[in-house]
Amino acid sequence: MTATASSGRPGPSGPGAGPVELTPGTAPADPRFVNDDLLPVPVAERRWTTYNFAALWVGMAHNIPSWMLASGLVALGMDWKQAVLTIALANVVVLVPMLLTGHAGPKYGIPFPVLARASFGLRGANLPALVRAGVACAWFGIQTWIGGQGVFVLLDKVFGGGWAEASRIGGQPWTLWLCFVLFWALELAVIYRGMEALRRFENWAAPFVIVGALALLVWITVKAGGLGPLLDQPSKLGWGADFWPVFFPALMGMIAFWATLSLNIPDFTRFGAGQRSQVLGQTLGLPTTMTLFALLSVLVTSGSQAVYGAPVWDPVALAAKTDSVFGLLFALVTVLVATLSVNLAANVVSPAYDLANLAPRLVNFRTGALITGVVGVLIMPWKLTATPELYIFTWLGLVGGLLGTVAGILIADYWLVRRTVLDLEGLYRADGPYWYRGGWNPVAVLAFLVGGVLAVGGSHSAPGTGPFPEDGLIPFLKPLADYGWAVGLAAALLIHTVLMRRGAAARPSSRSS
């Protein structure tokens, strides 16, 4: 059954209640908080099925950084079994908040920044939205740079090496910058067509990329006459005292890889035909795909070690070793599709909605996507992936701590405080129940600040490997730094739940200020 939310009243109670939509003719019109992209998706237009969600995750998981996650862990001393186990466990863990925050999508049809209004306030929701948008812009730049590099390497092989010898600008061949810019423009052209175009793209991109990855495995296995010696290499860490100090921060880093989506997954589930579709689709799509992809990368890399005498973890560099023009072109298309698939879904959709939430009168979904593209270039993404230590511990660890804090607040507010019951129309009204104090909920802000400090305050770097002091930003918090995502989520969840239940948030004001 479909329920409608009337003015001033929450929708039906309980997590199993049916989808909710606004009563016809009652759509809020305050331009400070409303535009067409932020309004709930009508129930009739919530059509994404289990396959759509599974295909979304298959398309997002099959990308070059995902492929190279295992290589980063092996470089830190793990063997392939430890690396795959770490990645598998991380994705099972991150699936839980993914499903919990995703629940609001099919039920209310709202995107992440609108859901955040219930916990942070109508204005306060811009705080988590901008945190998420900033992370997404950085990820967009990283993926675009990696995709551009892939195109460059393969085209250099096709054209006989001429591209790599081109004159340099900013330390890189101008042809690499050209590939980067063209790839960037292609991404924005696709997302500019909207969410329905993205759904169709993901539907066929997912199986195509799987075929491409399996083709790479078959090719290297045949060429090697087997999968090579990498599978027999022992761990440099063992399973004892040397392993755990690497395992836990690596696990948090792997969780942080998709912690971004655990916040803004309502941006996608709002189009879901029901809870069953999003739960089954995500469960089938995320942990299984990431684990199998990690295993596939290990198998292919093992074969490359047998053939070339050293492991080649970069799938683009490996594909470039073929002498077949057809093979090179197929690899080129696969790289394009794989990187487009993850970057559009994971790193453009969220900031587009987040920026629209910041200024609904000025920014819509398409404008937000264009802003994301520009910011993603300005952050110079090539520096973030320079070393495994910087990429896994500094970038992913720091991001994971902050995003875990926001996830803790969203889950606490939606599930433990409100029991999944929201006043749908009130999410768009300054005189509604989510105005708190001037549009900000001080409880959520406090939970974010405390959780964030606990999660990332102890961030530290070994000498010469990162931007943080060796003893940590706040030395006595250094022992918590390796568990940033979990610490941030647990602390924020506890603080928000306790203070909200004690009535620490201000009562809703009768009008806006």
Side-chain angles (χ1 to χ4, degrees), residues 53 95-108 110 115 261-270 274-275 278-279 282 411 414-415:
F53 287 112
L95 176 66
V96 176
M98 201 82 67
L99 297 178
L100 292 176
T101 54
H103 182 278
K107 184 170 182 178
Y108 295 102
I110 53 176
L115 172 62
L261 267 293
S262 70
L263 297 186
N264 75 286
I265 194 65
D267 293 342
F268 301 94
T269 61
R270 68 192 299 228
Q275 295 299 340
Q278 73 104 0
V279 171
Q282 293 201 79
I411 293 169
Y414 183 69
W415 285 95

PDB file of all heavy atoms in Angstrom, residues 53 95-108 110 115 261-270 274-275 278-279 282 411 414-415:
ATOM      1  N   PHE A  53      19.918  -2.350  -8.814  1.00  0.00           N
ATOM      2  CA  PHE A  53      20.829  -2.067  -7.710  1.00  0.00           C
ATOM      3  C   PHE A  53      22.061  -2.965  -7.758  1.00  0.00           C
ATOM      4  O   PHE A  53      23.183  -2.524  -7.484  1.00  0.00           O
ATOM      5  CB  PHE A  53      20.107  -2.226  -6.367  1.00  0.00           C
ATOM      6  CG  PHE A  53      19.141  -1.109  -6.074  1.00  0.00           C
ATOM      7  CD1 PHE A  53      17.779  -1.337  -6.042  1.00  0.00           C
ATOM      8  CD2 PHE A  53      19.606   0.178  -5.855  1.00  0.00           C
ATOM      9  CE1 PHE A  53      16.890  -0.310  -5.781  1.00  0.00           C
ATOM     10  CE2 PHE A  53      18.722   1.214  -5.588  1.00  0.00           C
ATOM     11  CZ  PHE A  53      17.355   0.965  -5.555  1.00  0.00           C
ATOM     12  N   LEU A  95      28.386  -2.826   4.344  1.00  0.00           N
ATOM     13  CA  LEU A  95      27.050  -3.099   3.821  1.00  0.00           C
ATOM     14  C   LEU A  95      25.967  -2.766   4.855  1.00  0.00           C
ATOM     15  O   LEU A  95      24.867  -2.336   4.492  1.00  0.00           O
ATOM     16  CB  LEU A  95      26.938  -4.568   3.408  1.00  0.00           C
ATOM     17  CG  LEU A  95      25.560  -5.034   2.914  1.00  0.00           C
ATOM     18  CD1 LEU A  95      25.201  -4.349   1.596  1.00  0.00           C
ATOM     19  CD2 LEU A  95      25.543  -6.546   2.740  1.00  0.00           C
ATOM     20  N   VAL A  96      26.278  -2.944   6.142  1.00  0.00           N
ATOM     21  CA  VAL A  96      25.274  -2.727   7.188  1.00  0.00           C
ATOM     22  C   VAL A  96      24.786  -1.278   7.211  1.00  0.00           C
ATOM     23  O   VAL A  96      23.575  -1.027   7.082  1.00  0.00           O
ATOM     24  CB  VAL A  96      25.814  -3.160   8.564  1.00  0.00           C
ATOM     25  CG1 VAL A  96      24.799  -2.834   9.654  1.00  0.00           C
ATOM     26  CG2 VAL A  96      26.124  -4.651   8.560  1.00  0.00           C
ATOM     27  N   PRO A  97      25.674  -0.269   7.364  1.00  0.00           N
ATOM     28  CA  PRO A  97      25.164   1.110   7.296  1.00  0.00           C
ATOM     29  C   PRO A  97      24.589   1.457   5.931  1.00  0.00           C
ATOM     30  O   PRO A  97      23.705   2.309   5.824  1.00  0.00           O
ATOM     31  CB  PRO A  97      26.393   1.966   7.633  1.00  0.00           C
ATOM     32  CG  PRO A  97      27.561   1.098   7.351  1.00  0.00           C
ATOM     33  CD  PRO A  97      27.112  -0.300   7.670  1.00  0.00           C
ATOM     34  N   MET A  98      25.072   0.790   4.879  1.00  0.00           N
ATOM     35  CA  MET A  98      24.538   1.030   3.543  1.00  0.00           C
ATOM     36  C   MET A  98      23.045   0.695   3.488  1.00  0.00           C
ATOM     37  O   MET A  98      22.231   1.450   2.954  1.00  0.00           O
ATOM     38  CB  MET A  98      25.301   0.181   2.523  1.00  0.00           C
ATOM     39  CG  MET A  98      25.220   0.666   1.098  1.00  0.00           C
ATOM     40  SD  MET A  98      26.386   1.986   0.743  1.00  0.00           S
ATOM     41  CE  MET A  98      27.957   1.144   0.873  1.00  0.00           C
ATOM     42  N   LEU A  99      22.670  -0.448   4.063  1.00  0.00           N
ATOM     43  CA  LEU A  99      21.272  -0.868   4.061  1.00  0.00           C
ATOM     44  C   LEU A  99      20.429  -0.025   5.019  1.00  0.00           C
ATOM     45  O   LEU A  99      19.263   0.266   4.738  1.00  0.00           O
ATOM     46  CB  LEU A  99      21.168  -2.345   4.435  1.00  0.00           C
ATOM     47  CG  LEU A  99      21.844  -3.339   3.479  1.00  0.00           C
ATOM     48  CD1 LEU A  99      21.692  -4.766   4.006  1.00  0.00           C
ATOM     49  CD2 LEU A  99      21.263  -3.230   2.073  1.00  0.00           C
ATOM     50  N   LEU A 100      21.016   0.363   6.151  1.00  0.00           N
ATOM     51  CA  LEU A 100      20.262   1.128   7.144  1.00  0.00           C
ATOM     52  C   LEU A 100      19.931   2.527   6.633  1.00  0.00           C
ATOM     53  O   LEU A 100      18.790   2.993   6.756  1.00  0.00           O
ATOM     54  CB  LEU A 100      21.050   1.216   8.450  1.00  0.00           C
ATOM     55  CG  LEU A 100      21.218  -0.101   9.229  1.00  0.00           C
ATOM     56  CD1 LEU A 100      22.102   0.108  10.445  1.00  0.00           C
ATOM     57  CD2 LEU A 100      19.858  -0.657   9.641  1.00  0.00           C
ATOM     58  N   THR A 101      20.897   3.220   6.065  1.00  0.00           N
ATOM     59  CA  THR A 101      20.609   4.552   5.533  1.00  0.00           C
ATOM     60  C   THR A 101      19.817   4.470   4.229  1.00  0.00           C
ATOM     61  O   THR A 101      19.025   5.355   3.922  1.00  0.00           O
ATOM     62  CB  THR A 101      21.911   5.344   5.298  1.00  0.00           C
ATOM     63  OG1 THR A 101      22.791   4.578   4.472  1.00  0.00           O
ATOM     64  CG2 THR A 101      22.602   5.645   6.606  1.00  0.00           C
ATOM     65  N   GLY A 102      20.019   3.367   3.489  1.00  0.00           N
ATOM     66  CA  GLY A 102      19.284   3.212   2.231  1.00  0.00           C
ATOM     67  C   GLY A 102      17.800   3.005   2.418  1.00  0.00           C
ATOM     68  O   GLY A 102      17.018   3.214   1.489  1.00  0.00           O
ATOM     69  N   HIS A 103      17.370   2.614   3.617  1.00  0.00           N
ATOM     70  CA  HIS A 103      15.960   2.325   3.885  1.00  0.00           C
ATOM     71  C   HIS A 103      15.066   3.534   3.614  1.00  0.00           C
ATOM     72  O   HIS A 103      13.931   3.394   3.142  1.00  0.00           O
ATOM     73  CB  HIS A 103      15.811   1.869   5.340  1.00  0.00           C
ATOM     74  CG  HIS A 103      14.422   1.487   5.735  1.00  0.00           C
ATOM     75  ND1 HIS A 103      13.450   2.414   6.099  1.00  0.00           N
ATOM     76  CD2 HIS A 103      13.819   0.273   5.826  1.00  0.00           C
ATOM     77  CE1 HIS A 103      12.328   1.787   6.395  1.00  0.00           C
ATOM     78  NE2 HIS A 103      12.528   0.485   6.237  1.00  0.00           N
ATOM     79  N   ALA A 104      15.555   4.733   3.924  1.00  0.00           N
ATOM     80  CA  ALA A 104      14.725   5.937   3.764  1.00  0.00           C
ATOM     81  C   ALA A 104      14.427   6.236   2.300  1.00  0.00           C
ATOM     82  O   ALA A 104      13.448   6.930   2.004  1.00  0.00           O
ATOM     83  CB  ALA A 104      15.418   7.135   4.408  1.00  0.00           C
ATOM     84  N   GLY A 105      15.240   5.722   1.382  1.00  0.00           N
ATOM     85  CA  GLY A 105      15.031   6.014  -0.036  1.00  0.00           C
ATOM     86  C   GLY A 105      13.737   5.468  -0.580  1.00  0.00           C
ATOM     87  O   GLY A 105      12.863   6.224  -1.018  1.00  0.00           O
ATOM     88  N   PRO A 106      13.536   4.140  -0.583  1.00  0.00           N
ATOM     89  CA  PRO A 106      12.278   3.592  -1.095  1.00  0.00           C
ATOM     90  C   PRO A 106      11.060   4.021  -0.283  1.00  0.00           C
ATOM     91  O   PRO A 106       9.958   4.116  -0.821  1.00  0.00           O
ATOM     92  CB  PRO A 106      12.487   2.070  -0.998  1.00  0.00           C
ATOM     93  CG  PRO A 106      13.955   1.881  -0.937  1.00  0.00           C
ATOM     94  CD  PRO A 106      14.484   3.082  -0.222  1.00  0.00           C
ATOM     95  N   LYS A 107      11.238   4.277   1.012  1.00  0.00           N
ATOM     96  CA  LYS A 107      10.092   4.622   1.847  1.00  0.00           C
ATOM     97  C   LYS A 107       9.619   6.046   1.609  1.00  0.00           C
ATOM     98  O   LYS A 107       8.415   6.299   1.516  1.00  0.00           O
ATOM     99  CB  LYS A 107      10.441   4.434   3.328  1.00  0.00           C
ATOM    100  CG  LYS A 107       9.240   4.693   4.252  1.00  0.00           C
ATOM    101  CD  LYS A 107       9.515   4.286   5.682  1.00  0.00           C
ATOM    102  CE  LYS A 107       8.267   4.511   6.538  1.00  0.00           C
ATOM    103  NZ  LYS A 107       8.463   4.094   7.946  1.00  0.00           N
ATOM    104  N   TYR A 108      10.556   7.000   1.501  1.00  0.00           N
ATOM    105  CA  TYR A 108      10.172   8.412   1.397  1.00  0.00           C
ATOM    106  C   TYR A 108      10.559   9.068   0.073  1.00  0.00           C
ATOM    107  O   TYR A 108      10.101  10.179  -0.215  1.00  0.00           O
ATOM    108  CB  TYR A 108      10.794   9.210   2.551  1.00  0.00           C
ATOM    109  CG  TYR A 108      10.263   8.810   3.903  1.00  0.00           C
ATOM    110  CD1 TYR A 108      11.008   7.985   4.745  1.00  0.00           C
ATOM    111  CD2 TYR A 108       9.019   9.235   4.351  1.00  0.00           C
ATOM    112  CE1 TYR A 108      10.532   7.591   5.989  1.00  0.00           C
ATOM    113  CE2 TYR A 108       8.528   8.849   5.596  1.00  0.00           C
ATOM    114  CZ  TYR A 108       9.291   8.034   6.403  1.00  0.00           C
ATOM    115  OH  TYR A 108       8.806   7.654   7.634  1.00  0.00           O
ATOM    116  N   ILE A 110      13.443  10.326  -0.831  1.00  0.00           N
ATOM    117  CA  ILE A 110      14.249  11.528  -0.620  1.00  0.00           C
ATOM    118  C   ILE A 110      15.733  11.240  -0.793  1.00  0.00           C
ATOM    119  O   ILE A 110      16.202  10.146  -0.510  1.00  0.00           O
ATOM    120  CB  ILE A 110      13.997  12.108   0.793  1.00  0.00           C
ATOM    121  CG1 ILE A 110      14.197  11.041   1.864  1.00  0.00           C
ATOM    122  CG2 ILE A 110      12.602  12.708   0.873  1.00  0.00           C
ATOM    123  CD1 ILE A 110      14.059  11.540   3.289  1.00  0.00           C
ATOM    124  N   LEU A 115      17.340  13.728   3.786  1.00  0.00           N
ATOM    125  CA  LEU A 115      17.304  12.850   4.947  1.00  0.00           C
ATOM    126  C   LEU A 115      18.097  13.452   6.099  1.00  0.00           C
ATOM    127  O   LEU A 115      17.682  13.389   7.261  1.00  0.00           O
ATOM    128  CB  LEU A 115      17.872  11.473   4.585  1.00  0.00           C
ATOM    129  CG  LEU A 115      18.064  10.496   5.752  1.00  0.00           C
ATOM    130  CD1 LEU A 115      16.733  10.159   6.421  1.00  0.00           C
ATOM    131  CD2 LEU A 115      18.761   9.223   5.268  1.00  0.00           C
ATOM    132  N   LEU A 261      29.449   6.055   0.005  1.00  0.00           N
ATOM    133  CA  LEU A 261      28.127   5.628  -0.461  1.00  0.00           C
ATOM    134  C   LEU A 261      27.217   5.230   0.686  1.00  0.00           C
ATOM    135  O   LEU A 261      25.982   5.257   0.541  1.00  0.00           O
ATOM    136  CB  LEU A 261      28.265   4.460  -1.445  1.00  0.00           C
ATOM    137  CG  LEU A 261      28.328   4.812  -2.939  1.00  0.00           C
ATOM    138  CD1 LEU A 261      27.010   5.377  -3.426  1.00  0.00           C
ATOM    139  CD2 LEU A 261      29.470   5.763  -3.243  1.00  0.00           C
ATOM    140  N   SER A 262      27.791   4.858   1.840  1.00  0.00           N
ATOM    141  CA  SER A 262      26.934   4.506   2.973  1.00  0.00           C
ATOM    142  C   SER A 262      26.177   5.715   3.495  1.00  0.00           C
ATOM    143  O   SER A 262      25.193   5.569   4.217  1.00  0.00           O
ATOM    144  CB  SER A 262      27.769   3.883   4.105  1.00  0.00           C
ATOM    145  OG  SER A 262      28.601   4.836   4.713  1.00  0.00           O
ATOM    146  N   LEU A 263      26.613   6.911   3.121  1.00  0.00           N
ATOM    147  CA  LEU A 263      25.866   8.127   3.470  1.00  0.00           C
ATOM    148  C   LEU A 263      24.814   8.440   2.418  1.00  0.00           C
ATOM    149  O   LEU A 263      23.640   8.616   2.717  1.00  0.00           O
ATOM    150  CB  LEU A 263      26.819   9.321   3.602  1.00  0.00           C
ATOM    151  CG  LEU A 263      27.887   9.268   4.687  1.00  0.00           C
ATOM    152  CD1 LEU A 263      28.610  10.597   4.749  1.00  0.00           C
ATOM    153  CD2 LEU A 263      27.295   8.922   6.021  1.00  0.00           C
ATOM    154  N   ASN A 264      25.242   8.532   1.180  1.00  0.00           N
ATOM    155  CA  ASN A 264      24.332   9.060   0.162  1.00  0.00           C
ATOM    156  C   ASN A 264      23.642   7.973  -0.660  1.00  0.00           C
ATOM    157  O   ASN A 264      23.082   8.262  -1.714  1.00  0.00           O
ATOM    158  CB  ASN A 264      25.072  10.016  -0.783  1.00  0.00           C
ATOM    159  CG  ASN A 264      25.971   9.318  -1.771  1.00  0.00           C
ATOM    160  OD1 ASN A 264      27.030   8.835  -1.395  1.00  0.00           O
ATOM    161  ND2 ASN A 264      25.565   9.267  -3.028  1.00  0.00           N
ATOM    162  N   ILE A 265      23.622   6.730  -0.162  1.00  0.00           N
ATOM    163  CA  ILE A 265      22.917   5.685  -0.903  1.00  0.00           C
ATOM    164  C   ILE A 265      21.434   6.006  -1.091  1.00  0.00           C
ATOM    165  O   ILE A 265      20.828   5.551  -2.075  1.00  0.00           O
ATOM    166  CB  ILE A 265      23.121   4.309  -0.218  1.00  0.00           C
ATOM    167  CG1 ILE A 265      22.705   3.162  -1.148  1.00  0.00           C
ATOM    168  CG2 ILE A 265      22.394   4.249   1.104  1.00  0.00           C
ATOM    169  CD1 ILE A 265      23.545   3.016  -2.393  1.00  0.00           C
ATOM    170  N   PRO A 266      20.787   6.823  -0.215  1.00  0.00           N
ATOM    171  CA  PRO A 266      19.402   7.216  -0.524  1.00  0.00           C
ATOM    172  C   PRO A 266      19.257   7.962  -1.852  1.00  0.00           C
ATOM    173  O   PRO A 266      18.161   7.976  -2.433  1.00  0.00           O
ATOM    174  CB  PRO A 266      19.021   8.121   0.655  1.00  0.00           C
ATOM    175  CG  PRO A 266      19.858   7.649   1.774  1.00  0.00           C
ATOM    176  CD  PRO A 266      21.170   7.280   1.139  1.00  0.00           C
ATOM    177  N   ASP A 267      20.343   8.574  -2.347  1.00  0.00           N
ATOM    178  CA  ASP A 267      20.280   9.222  -3.652  1.00  0.00           C
ATOM    179  C   ASP A 267      19.883   8.230  -4.746  1.00  0.00           C
ATOM    180  O   ASP A 267      19.324   8.631  -5.782  1.00  0.00           O
ATOM    181  CB  ASP A 267      21.636   9.840  -4.008  1.00  0.00           C
ATOM    182  CG  ASP A 267      22.013  10.999  -3.103  1.00  0.00           C
ATOM    183  OD1 ASP A 267      21.113  11.548  -2.438  1.00  0.00           O
ATOM    184  OD2 ASP A 267      23.207  11.348  -3.054  1.00  0.00           O
ATOM    185  N   PHE A 268      20.172   6.945  -4.525  1.00  0.00           N
ATOM    186  CA  PHE A 268      19.837   5.901  -5.485  1.00  0.00           C
ATOM    187  C   PHE A 268      18.602   5.114  -5.049  1.00  0.00           C
ATOM    188  O   PHE A 268      17.722   4.834  -5.866  1.00  0.00           O
ATOM    189  CB  PHE A 268      21.021   4.950  -5.671  1.00  0.00           C
ATOM    190  CG  PHE A 268      22.270   5.626  -6.147  1.00  0.00           C
ATOM    191  CD1 PHE A 268      23.242   6.059  -5.239  1.00  0.00           C
ATOM    192  CD2 PHE A 268      22.480   5.860  -7.490  1.00  0.00           C
ATOM    193  CE1 PHE A 268      24.384   6.697  -5.669  1.00  0.00           C
ATOM    194  CE2 PHE A 268      23.623   6.507  -7.932  1.00  0.00           C
ATOM    195  CZ  PHE A 268      24.578   6.929  -7.016  1.00  0.00           C
ATOM    196  N   THR A 269      18.552   4.754  -3.759  1.00  0.00           N
ATOM    197  CA  THR A 269      17.433   3.925  -3.308  1.00  0.00           C
ATOM    198  C   THR A 269      16.116   4.677  -3.356  1.00  0.00           C
ATOM    199  O   THR A 269      15.054   4.045  -3.313  1.00  0.00           O
ATOM    200  CB  THR A 269      17.668   3.401  -1.882  1.00  0.00           C
ATOM    201  OG1 THR A 269      17.786   4.495  -0.969  1.00  0.00           O
ATOM    202  CG2 THR A 269      18.930   2.551  -1.817  1.00  0.00           C
ATOM    203  N   ARG A 270      16.141   6.006  -3.453  1.00  0.00           N
ATOM    204  CA  ARG A 270      14.895   6.770  -3.583  1.00  0.00           C
ATOM    205  C   ARG A 270      14.139   6.400  -4.861  1.00  0.00           C
ATOM    206  O   ARG A 270      12.949   6.682  -4.987  1.00  0.00           O
ATOM    207  CB  ARG A 270      15.196   8.274  -3.559  1.00  0.00           C
ATOM    208  CG  ARG A 270      15.958   8.773  -4.771  1.00  0.00           C
ATOM    209  CD  ARG A 270      16.482  10.190  -4.597  1.00  0.00           C
ATOM    210  NE  ARG A 270      15.425  11.156  -4.396  1.00  0.00           N
ATOM    211  CZ  ARG A 270      15.333  12.318  -5.045  1.00  0.00           C
ATOM    212  NH1 ARG A 270      16.237  12.656  -5.978  1.00  0.00           N
ATOM    213  NH2 ARG A 270      14.359  13.150  -4.787  1.00  0.00           N
ATOM    214  N   GLY A 274      10.994  -0.858  -3.912  1.00  0.00           N
ATOM    215  CA  GLY A 274      10.634  -1.297  -2.574  1.00  0.00           C
ATOM    216  C   GLY A 274      11.880  -1.661  -1.799  1.00  0.00           C
ATOM    217  O   GLY A 274      12.990  -1.684  -2.333  1.00  0.00           O
ATOM    218  N   GLN A 275      11.707  -1.955  -0.494  1.00  0.00           N
ATOM    219  CA  GLN A 275      12.849  -2.291   0.336  1.00  0.00           C
ATOM    220  C   GLN A 275      13.518  -3.592  -0.130  1.00  0.00           C
ATOM    221  O   GLN A 275      14.741  -3.718  -0.076  1.00  0.00           O
ATOM    222  CB  GLN A 275      12.402  -2.436   1.798  1.00  0.00           C
ATOM    223  CG  GLN A 275      11.883  -1.164   2.425  1.00  0.00           C
ATOM    224  CD  GLN A 275      12.917  -0.047   2.470  1.00  0.00           C
ATOM    225  OE1 GLN A 275      14.114  -0.284   2.379  1.00  0.00           O
ATOM    226  NE2 GLN A 275      12.441   1.175   2.591  1.00  0.00           N
ATOM    227  N   GLN A 278      16.147  -2.878  -2.860  1.00  0.00           N
ATOM    228  CA  GLN A 278      17.412  -2.282  -2.461  1.00  0.00           C
ATOM    229  C   GLN A 278      18.221  -3.203  -1.550  1.00  0.00           C
ATOM    230  O   GLN A 278      19.450  -3.260  -1.653  1.00  0.00           O
ATOM    231  CB  GLN A 278      17.182  -0.909  -1.795  1.00  0.00           C
ATOM    232  CG  GLN A 278      16.594  -0.917  -0.396  1.00  0.00           C
ATOM    233  CD  GLN A 278      17.629  -0.627   0.693  1.00  0.00           C
ATOM    234  OE1 GLN A 278      18.797  -0.417   0.405  1.00  0.00           O
ATOM    235  NE2 GLN A 278      17.180  -0.627   1.949  1.00  0.00           N
ATOM    236  N   VAL A 279      17.562  -3.956  -0.671  1.00  0.00           N
ATOM    237  CA  VAL A 279      18.296  -4.846   0.235  1.00  0.00           C
ATOM    238  C   VAL A 279      18.940  -5.992  -0.539  1.00  0.00           C
ATOM    239  O   VAL A 279      20.145  -6.264  -0.405  1.00  0.00           O
ATOM    240  CB  VAL A 279      17.358  -5.385   1.340  1.00  0.00           C
ATOM    241  CG1 VAL A 279      18.062  -6.481   2.131  1.00  0.00           C
ATOM    242  CG2 VAL A 279      16.929  -4.260   2.270  1.00  0.00           C
ATOM    243  N   GLN A 282      21.660  -4.647  -3.157  1.00  0.00           N
ATOM    244  CA  GLN A 282      22.923  -4.229  -2.566  1.00  0.00           C
ATOM    245  C   GLN A 282      23.686  -5.412  -1.958  1.00  0.00           C
ATOM    246  O   GLN A 282      24.910  -5.495  -2.059  1.00  0.00           O
ATOM    247  CB  GLN A 282      22.678  -3.160  -1.504  1.00  0.00           C
ATOM    248  CG  GLN A 282      22.164  -1.851  -2.063  1.00  0.00           C
ATOM    249  CD  GLN A 282      22.433  -0.718  -1.103  1.00  0.00           C
ATOM    250  OE1 GLN A 282      23.541  -0.203  -1.030  1.00  0.00           O
ATOM    251  NE2 GLN A 282      21.406  -0.324  -0.354  1.00  0.00           N
ATOM    252  N   ILE A 411      22.106   7.102  11.194  1.00  0.00           N
ATOM    253  CA  ILE A 411      21.512   5.836  11.640  1.00  0.00           C
ATOM    254  C   ILE A 411      20.844   6.004  12.994  1.00  0.00           C
ATOM    255  O   ILE A 411      19.724   5.517  13.217  1.00  0.00           O
ATOM    256  CB  ILE A 411      22.595   4.740  11.697  1.00  0.00           C
ATOM    257  CG1 ILE A 411      23.090   4.421  10.279  1.00  0.00           C
ATOM    258  CG2 ILE A 411      22.062   3.476  12.365  1.00  0.00           C
ATOM    259  CD1 ILE A 411      24.341   3.557  10.252  1.00  0.00           C
ATOM    260  N   TYR A 414      17.523   8.183  12.496  1.00  0.00           N
ATOM    261  CA  TYR A 414      16.462   7.565  11.696  1.00  0.00           C
ATOM    262  C   TYR A 414      15.932   6.289  12.342  1.00  0.00           C
ATOM    263  O   TYR A 414      14.722   6.047  12.381  1.00  0.00           O
ATOM    264  CB  TYR A 414      16.992   7.271  10.293  1.00  0.00           C
ATOM    265  CG  TYR A 414      15.961   6.690   9.349  1.00  0.00           C
ATOM    266  CD1 TYR A 414      14.899   7.453   8.886  1.00  0.00           C
ATOM    267  CD2 TYR A 414      16.061   5.365   8.905  1.00  0.00           C
ATOM    268  CE1 TYR A 414      13.954   6.918   8.005  1.00  0.00           C
ATOM    269  CE2 TYR A 414      15.134   4.824   8.033  1.00  0.00           C
ATOM    270  CZ  TYR A 414      14.077   5.603   7.590  1.00  0.00           C
ATOM    271  OH  TYR A 414      13.143   5.076   6.732  1.00  0.00           O
ATOM    272  N   TRP A 415      16.831   5.463  12.895  1.00  0.00           N
ATOM    273  CA  TRP A 415      16.417   4.167  13.420  1.00  0.00           C
ATOM    274  C   TRP A 415      16.151   4.168  14.926  1.00  0.00           C
ATOM    275  O   TRP A 415      15.174   3.571  15.375  1.00  0.00           O
ATOM    276  CB  TRP A 415      17.473   3.110  13.096  1.00  0.00           C
ATOM    277  CG  TRP A 415      17.445   2.685  11.665  1.00  0.00           C
ATOM    278  CD1 TRP A 415      18.200   3.168  10.640  1.00  0.00           C
ATOM    279  CD2 TRP A 415      16.588   1.699  11.078  1.00  0.00           C
ATOM    280  NE1 TRP A 415      17.885   2.551   9.459  1.00  0.00           N
ATOM    281  CE2 TRP A 415      16.885   1.634   9.700  1.00  0.00           C
ATOM    282  CE3 TRP A 415      15.609   0.863  11.591  1.00  0.00           C
ATOM    283  CZ2 TRP A 415      16.242   0.774   8.831  1.00  0.00           C
ATOM    284  CZ3 TRP A 415      14.955  -0.008  10.715  1.00  0.00           C
ATOM    285  CH2 TRP A 415      15.271  -0.050   9.363  1.00  0.00           C
TER     286      TRP A 415
END
